[in-house]
Amino acid sequence: MNQKELYTLGIDIGSTTVKIAILDENNEVVFSDYERHFANIQETLSDLLGRAIHKLGPVHASPVITGSGGLTLAQYLDVPFAQEVVAVAEALQTYAPQTDVA
């Protein structure tokens, strides 16, 4: 992986799982994974990020957090938070612009 390239790191913290996806500059998914967090969100997120680093090596990433359990962590980490419905709508505009109902 090119360390000068800026990747997008999406983090979804839900009521039972943490999911991450890393996209390259062409919005292609280069890594994604999820895991049940059993109320231990920080450790689960750390494990997932460790897996990403193991696969991709160190990369520069711009993070965004979403999900029902993500707002507090986003505020604590000073990372942007995206409301889930808005995030899905924006993704559909990019990946499936012909979609009118989801």
Side-chain angles (χ1 to χ4, degrees), residues 12 14 16 34 40 45 50 76 80-81 86-87 93:
D12 180 356
T16 61
Y34 75 99
N40 195 345
L45 178 57
Y76 177 76
F81 178 83
V86 174
Q93 286 178 342

Side-chain angles (χ1 to χ4, degrees), residues 18 20 22 31-36 43-57:
V18 175
I20 68 169
I22 300 175
F31 180 86
S32 66
D33 202 354
Y34 75 99
E35 186 174 318
R36 290 183 62 90
E43 183 176 317
T44 304
L45 178 57
S46 178
D47 288 347
L48 290 170
L49 293 173
R51 290 181 207 162
I53 291 169
H54 180 75
K55 179 179 179 186
L56 303 174

Side-chain angles (χ1 to χ4, degrees), residues 21-101:
I22 300 175
L23 288 70
D24 64 15
E25 289 182 333
N26 298 315
N27 282 332
E28 297 291 328
V29 176
V30 295
F31 180 86
S32 66
D33 202 354
Y34 75 99
E35 186 174 318
R36 290 183 62 90
H37 59 64
F38 300 103
N40 195 345
I41 292 168
Q42 290 178 332
E43 183 176 317
T44 304
L45 178 57
S46 178
D47 288 347
L48 290 170
L49 293 173
R51 290 181 207 162
I53 291 169
H54 180 75
K55 179 179 179 186
L56 303 174
V59 297
H60 296 284
S62 177
V64 177
I65 297 177
T66 191
S68 60
L71 183 58
T72 301
L73 186 60
Q75 292 171 336
Y76 177 76
L77 296 175
D78 196 25
V79 169
F81 178 83
Q83 200 280 336
E84 288 176 85
V85 174
V86 174
V88 169
E90 289 178 5
L92 285 172
Q93 286 178 342
T94 299
Y95 292 103
Q98 72 283 1
T99 304
D100 59 359
V101 176

